[in-house]
Amino acid sequence: MKLKNISSFFAALAVCFGVSGVKAYAAEKTKDGIKLVISADKSAYEEDEKITAKITLENNSGNDITDVTLEGVVPDSYHLSEESKAITRTTYVMSGNSLSSELVFVPDKKESPTTEPKEATTVVTEKNEVQELVLTENAAVYNAETVESKDSKKDSGVKTALIITGILLLAGAAVVLFKFKGKNKGIMILVCITAASSLNTDIKAKAIETENYNILVSESITVAGQKYELTAVVRYTMDKPDMQAAADEYYEENSEEIVSVETVEENDGVFSEKEALKFMSERGFSKYPLTYDYDIDGNYTDETEALPESDAKHPMYMTYFVAEDGAVWSVFIVGRTITANPASYNLESDLDVQFLVSETDTLTSYTEMGNKFYETIPKDSAVKLKIVDKITSQILNDLTYEEVINQ
């Protein structure tokens, strides 16, 4: 399940070129084929000017990287514009791919001596963490708070690298805050983690050859004659195996039959946000927000609520449903198919298999590797499907534990 309330900052594809008559104000650093670049639109600013900076991440390493965290440090006496985001966490950047973003730093308003000091913001906290990394990099050591040990995280990238809707092998539980649509208050419910992701043990074992890295780069500018540093840092895990091959192998091993594989671009039936909201509302799923985690190109966006006026399309959406008996369900749209996960029933069950409710005997899954949909007939050892004519809130409300688990 994706963590909420995490500030996002997306970085890449902003390489600065030298052009006749134009000076590029940039600094870059490359480590094992991973290039990080930070560039400013100019080298000197007036006191009240905004600073525009670009961060570039290029993966030219020949290996895929996972668990990527990109951060930009907000200079002292500045804050980010509303359109800018300082931090991004994405699960996967394939070899040869890159990401880009632009940050605009706005000068803080000068306060009178009687003004109460402002509380530290999340951005300041993140900035301090990056500043710690500056010190640790200069000292050529790792800071325990910013870079975890290789032993403790050697397969963390693999855990988040493959997103397979409905195929869960997690046996734990978590307290989740379910928010009612349009309201700030929510209810706390103990439920099985069901955010549509997991890898089986075999794939994890094949991908343990990973190492954690960080790269930091700074560019100097001046503001009213005073020197400032624009700083960016990337943290990532480098995976040695071919993760696309590992994904394909997963489906081969856990499916009776792979009915079809197609990229999201090839599927012209992907729902827009407003279409997905209408689809869910017509089936009685409108009490809780409908969210997505990926854009149409397969880029991770963090958990974001779908909007009724938006034409933006996403490969996968998710919402929740709570039955009258207290049973908690997570309901997914993948492409144009709908699947329901009886979260609390799966948590109660002592069987080593995931139960799902479907309208067909095939399961459509999404994986960000290659931005693909897989339609499969899953093996009973991986997933057991309860087939119903139509998934609606009333159908889920009427289904009992025995009907789902003891079918």
Side-chain angles (χ1 to χ4, degrees), residues 162-168 194-198 250-251 294 315-318 330-335 337-341 354 356 363-368 372-374 376 378 383 385:
L162 184 58
I163 306 302
I164 303 177
T165 300
I167 302 179
L168 300 177
T194 58
S197 64
S198 185
Y250 173 86
Y251 287 107
Y294 292 86
M316 183 171 69
Y317 299 88
M318 186 189 77
S330 51
V331 186
F332 301 96
I333 298 174
V334 183
T337 66
I338 183 171
T339 307
N341 188 331
Q354 179 79 13
L356 297 172
L363 181 66
T364 300
S365 306
Y366 169 72
T367 173
E368 64 182 301
K372 294 178 180 179
F373 292 125
Y374 287 74
T376 66
V383 177
L385 297 178

Side-chain angles (χ1 to χ4, degrees), residues 170-171 343-355 384 401 405-406:
L170 300 175
S344 49
Y345 290 167
N346 277 308
L347 183 61
E348 293 174 31
S349 173
D350 57 0
L351 300 175
D352 295 327
V353 66
Q354 179 79 13
F355 291 86
K384 287 186 179 293
Y401 175 89
I405 303 299
N406 299 326

Side-chain angles (χ1 to χ4, degrees), residues 284-300:
F285 303 113
S286 58
K287 189 173 184 179
Y288 300 99
L290 183 69
T291 61
Y292 60 87
D293 294 294
Y294 292 86
D295 66 18
I296 194 66
D297 297 318
N299 299 315
Y300 177 66

